[in-house]
Amino acid sequence: MKNRLGNLKKSLPKHRVDAFLISSVSHISYLTGFSHFSTEEREAYLLVTRKKNYIFTDGRYSEAVKKEIKNCALVELGRGVSFGEALGNIKKTEKIRTLGIEENDLTVSEFRTLQKAGFKTTEVFLESLRIIKEDWEVKHILAACRLSDQAFDHVLKKLKTGVSEKEIAWEMELFIKSHGGQLGFESIVAFGKNSSVPHHHTGETQLGKKDGSFILLDFGARVRGYRSDMTRTIFWGKASEKQKKIYQAVFGAQKKAEEYITNNISKTVLASEVDRVSREYIKKEGFSDIPHSLGHGIGLEVHEAPYLSPRSKHGLERGMVFSIEPGIYTPGFGGVRIEDLYLLQKKNLKQLTGAKKGLIEL
Amino acid sequence: MKNRLGNLKKSLPKHRVDAFLISSVSHISYLTGFSHFSTEEREAYLLVTRKKNYIFTDGRYSEAVKKEIKNCALVELGRGVSFGEALGNIKKTEKIRTLGIEENDLTVSEFRTLQKAGFKTTEVFLESLRIIKEDWEVKHILAACRLSDQAFDHVLKKLKTGVSEKEIAWEMELFIKSHGGQLGFESIVAFGKNSSVPHHHTGETQLGKKDGSFILLDFGARVRGYRSDMTRTIFWGKASEKQKKIYQAVFGAQKKAEEYITNNISKTVLASEVDRVSREYIKKEGFSDIPHSLGHGIGLEVHEAPYLSPRSKHGLERGMVFSIEPGIYTPGFGGVRIEDLYLLQKKNLKQLTGAKKGLIEL
């Protein structure tokens, strides 16, 4: 952890700033090892200057922070001292003029506070801070993948006529939590036509009789802070020819993306190109375009850099972990998505999620 | 729901803006009734103009939004059209000049997009949009309170030597979820000295033998989107005189706050005054100041207006639901917090949480 903060500090001149104000919770967690701040409310800031590191938080966290974050000075907010005042004091002592900020995380109100305190701010792009995973991080992601693989096998046995989407999601959660994990994110369970909504909200819809309807399961686990993400679409009974054709097209689109990366493994592959290859395959097969991006990086957050999308600027490099998840969705009929996680290694693309993905008819 | 959007629209002239750009998820959910957007990532915006309402989201949500949000036009992002471009088009058609924004929610990046699109922005304070609860909202909060009361009774039976904080938190979660609720937030379970950290991170600490150590439980349920929040501190065995003194001081501080509100029920009580009364009582009793605010409103979010804190500008009014939660924390020794939810009614302050709170020695 110390190294991470040290490396970031070394990059101050490159970013042409005197200090970084880190506000995103995952970055704070990544840099300090302290992972207990809420992601729903602003509870902390990390200030990295040439000389020191400061963690700003309130009285609810002071004791824990003092104990667990060794290389940062604690600035306790809320007792008289406001965030702006506290920052202003450090600005003076350390002669900070230019402050690097995360513009895609900091709010306009916070920005105004910095302006009032006299800072000149510059946007710094730190999204690639966590983009290359260390070996121990991959290990945690892999552990999360193993757990979701097992949860998938477990849940297959729980599918029966009359069971609801919510009940299946709960079975998944129970399995993951009673095996030492947390949910990676809120599971998506979509029966029948509901599968045509890429982010269907798991509800009360029940499985009917075995008529071949779609069952889409998109879920993940979290182990030691690191997440997995996987989607499987299976059939409740015999799939029709039309359904099989859709399934094979999605399966093929995922394969195309894998192959494109593998065939170009010695170069830096553009994430946008991978997205394009998969997308074009689906259109060539006669289906409508994927209504979302092809994939995303994953780690402390479920969606993080690199992004595999048409507008992405990322190049894929060794040590990156990301999803490939094409999908075809027909409103009123249903949809298929297949999603796996991959680690890009020197000589190959290693799939991390392991649940079976041939066409499954239950 | 239609009324809520209509009322907001009527307030455009008062706020001196041509349109509101609503970005906070709870507000979008409150105004549209659609509650499936993630709170962890930006997935939607709501634009309320004089003539129309627009919901901006991406392909993952289009189908669901079309079905469930009737009074808003859907603007699908991601397929060629960017957020800035889409907004710019509406700006032209509807001749919008001044745009009201939530500066404490919108990011600096988003703000720059608005600037590029030519908008003049004004901060609008919409935090009081949800501050007065309708009767049916109170009903849902009350249902969440009932569920947490029951969870508390249930969990008392699960306390035994050797059980860990995490196991107790899981028992709580299991109870709440298997009774149709969701967690209101991540439960805090703190044994012994851990209770001196107001936001202790529930961990592996186990209950020892009955030596009178503190057990602090801070948790809540969520029912139909609405949350409860309650803290109880109990004793594992006989409490010492010192512990009893702390407990009585906290109990008294909560009572002082209640009485202050009740005695001034016919006027508009300042939230900051309630905070002061309770805080001063604790100091007068010889303990150190509460290291957090006295309370907060609750509803779709676990922390929302009104805030009961020294700097709060809120006046307490009929129909508000909020917590009163004084605490005394002694590092290395332990802490006591007692928290309940209240509804301010015309003639009285109604306590919504119902779990017993006399000194409990197990």
Side-chain angles (χ1 to χ4, degrees):
Chain A
M1 299 298 162
K2 206 179 165 184
N3 217 10
R4 288 177 171 180
L5 265 173
N7 288 340
L8 181 64
K9 198 184 287 289
K10 273 186 212 146
S11 77
L12 283 167
K14 198 188 84 190
H15 286 282
R16 298 166 180 265
V17 293
D18 300 318
F20 293 118
L21 180 70
I22 313 288
S23 52
S24 63
V25 179
S26 323
H27 276 348
I28 294 178
S29 164
Y30 181 81
L31 291 164
T32 65
F34 186 85
S35 57
H36 310 333
F37 295 121
S38 163
T39 53
E40 304 216 346
E41 294 179 13
R42 182 79 75 208
E43 298 185 330
Y45 303 90
L46 175 65
L47 180 73
V48 178
T49 72
R50 285 206 194 84
K51 292 184 198 156
K52 280 181 77 174
N53 309 310
Y54 303 85
I55 185 98
F56 293 73
T57 188
D58 64 63
R60 295 172 302 176
Y61 289 99
S62 317
E63 211 192 322
V65 160
K66 268 186 245 167
K67 217 186 323 183
E68 296 186 37
I69 309 185
K70 291 298 176 200
N71 45 359
C72 296
L74 168 70
V75 183
E76 192 176 307
L77 302 173
R79 300 216 205 196
V81 186
S82 74
F83 175 53
E85 289 158 2
L87 262 183
N89 293 340
I90 299 173
K91 180 180 186 301
K92 240 187 248 165
T93 336
E94 298 216 16
K95 301 195 176 56
I96 299 167
R97 263 170 302 181
T98 322
L99 185 65
I101 60 170
E102 299 181 82
E103 296 206 343
N104 59 2
D105 182 81
L106 212 68
T107 68
V108 181
S109 303
E110 293 168 319
F111 180 64
R112 303 234 186 266
T113 302
L114 299 180
Q115 285 183 315
K116 263 188 213 153
F119 286 102
K120 193 175 159 273
T121 65
T122 302
E123 176 166 24
V124 287
F125 293 95
L126 300 177
E127 61 163 8
S128 30
L129 198 61
R130 309 195 311 263
I131 206 170
I132 305 289
K133 266 64 182 179
E134 297 179 46
D135 289 347
W136 63 266
E137 294 184 281
V138 173
K139 237 189 198 162
H140 292 343
I141 295 174
L142 201 56
C145 289
R146 281 299 148 271
L147 191 49
S148 24
D149 292 346
Q150 289 160 11
F152 178 70
D153 286 343
H154 168 76
V155 114
L156 284 186
K157 293 176 225 147
K158 298 289 175 181
L159 292 167
K160 58 174 189 252
T161 299
V163 79
S164 74
E165 293 171 345
K166 272 194 175 162
E167 284 163 350
I168 289 302
W170 176 232
E171 284 292 347
M172 203 109 74
E173 184 171 349
L174 260 178
F175 185 91
I176 289 173
K177 292 191 170 168
S178 57
H179 287 77
Q182 292 293 319
L183 285 189
F185 53 92
E186 209 180 315
S187 309
I188 299 173
V189 178
F191 292 162
K193 290 181 208 170
N194 294 345
S195 57
S196 78
V197 178
H199 267 202
H200 170 65
H201 189 73
T202 305
E204 304 292 353
T205 305
Q206 295 178 352
L207 266 188
K209 60 180 197 305
K210 295 202 172 191
D211 57 357
S213 43
F214 297 102
I215 298 177
L216 187 150
L217 306 168
D218 182 351
F219 65 105
R222 186 155 48 96
V223 172
R224 293 171 187 266
Y226 286 84
R227 303 178 199 241
S228 69
D229 188 358
M230 179 171 76
T231 307
R232 290 292 180 265
T233 310
I234 56 186
F235 298 91
W236 187 235
K238 287 277 166 214
S240 68
E241 284 313 305
K242 183 178 170 186
Q243 285 176 311
K244 282 185 191 169
K245 222 186 136 222
I246 296 176
Y247 193 89
Q248 293 311 335
V250 175
F251 196 81
Q254 197 192 41
K255 263 216 150 61
K256 282 285 165 200
E258 293 173 13
E259 281 169 12
Y260 182 81
I261 297 172
T262 311
N263 292 340
N264 295 282
I265 200 94
S266 56
K267 313 166 203 159
T268 295
V269 173
L270 284 177
S272 58
E273 276 300 289
V274 183
D275 178 278
R276 189 185 55 77
V277 165
S278 195
R279 207 171 279 281
E280 287 195 348
Y281 178 83
I282 282 196
K283 287 192 274 185
K284 207 197 66 198
E285 290 293 300
F287 297 100
S288 59
D289 198 5
I290 308 171
H292 50 71
S293 42
L294 183 67
H296 56 83
I298 188 165
L300 290 175
E301 287 194 62
V302 64
H303 298 138
E304 60 182 43
Y307 295 99
L308 284 70
S309 70
R311 293 180 179 215
S312 175
K313 300 277 176 250
H314 292 120
L316 299 183
E317 289 172 44
R318 190 178 160 182
M320 291 185 180
V321 174
F322 50 83
S323 72
I324 300 180
E325 47 177 309
I328 294 175
Y329 311 92
T330 312
F333 180 69
V336 171
R337 178 167 64 254
I338 304 174
E339 173 183 25
D340 286 280
L341 292 191
Y342 302 83
L343 165 68
L344 189 53
Q345 294 182 311
K346 195 176 174 187
K347 294 193 171 165
N348 68 321
L349 182 68
K350 185 182 173 185
Q351 188 178 318
L352 301 180
T353 37
K356 49 189 172 241
K357 62 178 161 180
L359 189 138
I360 300 175
E361 295 170 316
L362 286 182
Chain B
M1 298 300 161
K2 204 177 168 185
N3 217 11
R4 289 177 170 179
L5 264 174
N7 288 339
L8 180 66
K9 198 185 288 291
K10 273 187 211 144
S11 77
L12 282 167
K14 198 187 85 192
H15 287 280
R16 298 166 181 266
V17 293
D18 299 319
F20 293 118
L21 181 69
I22 311 289
S23 51
S24 63
V25 179
S26 322
H27 276 348
I28 293 178
S29 165
Y30 181 82
L31 290 164
T32 65
F34 185 83
S35 57
H36 310 331
F37 295 120
S38 163
T39 53
E40 304 216 346
E41 295 178 13
R42 183 80 73 208
E43 298 186 329
Y45 303 90
L46 176 65
L47 180 74
V48 178
T49 71
R50 285 207 193 84
K51 291 184 198 156
K52 279 180 80 173
N53 309 309
Y54 303 85
I55 184 98
F56 293 73
T57 188
D58 64 61
R60 295 172 303 176
Y61 291 99
S62 319
E63 210 191 323
V65 160
K66 268 185 246 169
K67 218 190 314 188
E68 296 186 39
I69 309 184
K70 292 297 178 202
N71 45 359
C72 296
L74 168 70
V75 183
E76 190 175 308
L77 302 173
R79 301 215 203 198
V81 186
S82 75
F83 175 52
E85 290 158 0
L87 264 181
N89 293 339
I90 298 173
K91 182 180 185 300
K92 240 187 251 166
T93 336
E94 296 218 16
K95 300 195 176 58
I96 299 167
R97 264 171 302 183
T98 323
L99 185 64
I101 59 171
E102 298 180 83
E103 295 206 344
N104 58 1
D105 182 81
L106 212 68
T107 69
V108 182
S109 302
E110 293 168 319
F111 180 63
R112 302 233 186 268
T113 302
L114 299 181
Q115 286 183 315
K116 261 187 216 153
F119 285 102
K120 193 175 159 273
T121 65
T122 303
E123 176 167 24
V124 286
F125 294 96
L126 300 177
E127 60 165 9
S128 31
L129 198 61
R130 310 194 312 262
I131 206 169
I132 305 288
K133 265 64 182 180
E134 297 180 44
D135 290 347
W136 63 266
E137 294 183 282
V138 173
K139 237 188 198 165
H140 291 344
I141 295 173
L142 201 56
C145 290
R146 282 298 146 273
L147 192 48
S148 24
D149 291 348
Q150 290 161 10
F152 178 70
D153 286 343
H154 168 76
V155 114
L156 284 185
K157 292 176 226 149
K158 298 289 174 180
L159 292 166
K160 57 172 190 256
T161 300
V163 79
S164 74
E165 293 171 345
K166 270 192 176 166
E167 284 163 351
I168 289 301
W170 176 231
E171 284 292 348
M172 203 109 76
E173 184 171 346
L174 260 178
F175 185 90
I176 289 173
K177 291 189 170 172
S178 57
H179 287 77
Q182 292 294 318
L183 285 188
F185 52 92
E186 210 180 314
S187 308
I188 298 174
V189 178
F191 292 162
K193 293 179 206 171
N194 294 345
S195 57
S196 79
V197 178
H199 266 201
H200 171 64
H201 188 73
T202 306
E204 304 293 352
T205 305
Q206 295 179 352
L207 266 188
K209 60 181 197 304
K210 294 202 171 191
D211 58 356
S213 44
F214 297 102
I215 298 176
L216 187 150
L217 306 168
D218 183 350
F219 65 104
R222 186 155 49 96
V223 172
R224 292 172 190 266
Y226 286 84
R227 302 178 201 242
S228 69
D229 189 357
M230 178 170 77
T231 307
R232 290 292 180 265
T233 310
I234 56 185
F235 298 92
W236 187 233
K238 287 276 167 216
S240 68
E241 283 314 305
K242 184 177 169 187
Q243 286 176 311
K244 281 185 190 166
K245 222 185 135 223
I246 296 176
Y247 193 89
Q248 294 310 336
V250 175
F251 196 82
Q254 196 192 42
K255 264 216 149 59
K256 281 284 164 202
E258 292 173 13
E259 281 168 17
Y260 182 82
I261 298 171
T262 312
N263 293 340
N264 295 281
I265 201 92
S266 56
K267 312 166 205 159
T268 294
V269 173
L270 283 177
S272 58
E273 276 299 290
V274 183
D275 177 278
R276 190 184 56 73
V277 164
S278 195
R279 207 171 279 283
E280 286 194 348
Y281 178 83
I282 281 197
K283 287 192 273 184
K284 207 196 68 204
E285 291 293 301
F287 297 100
S288 58
D289 197 5
I290 307 171
H292 51 71
S293 43
L294 183 69
H296 55 84
I298 190 166
L300 290 175
E301 287 194 64
V302 64
H303 298 137
E304 58 183 45
Y307 295 99
L308 284 69
S309 72
R311 294 181 178 215
S312 175
K313 301 276 174 254
H314 291 122
L316 299 183
E317 289 172 43
R318 188 177 163 185
M320 290 185 180
V321 174
F322 50 84
S323 73
I324 300 181
E325 46 176 311
I328 295 176
Y329 311 92
T330 313
F333 180 70
V336 171
R337 179 168 62 254
I338 303 174
E339 173 183 24
D340 286 281
L341 292 192
Y342 302 83
L343 165 69
L344 189 54
Q345 293 182 312
K346 195 176 175 185
K347 294 194 170 163
N348 68 323
L349 182 67
K350 183 181 174 186
Q351 188 178 317
L352 301 181
T353 37
K356 48 188 173 244
K357 63 177 161 182
L359 190 138
I360 300 176
E361 296 169 316
L362 284 185

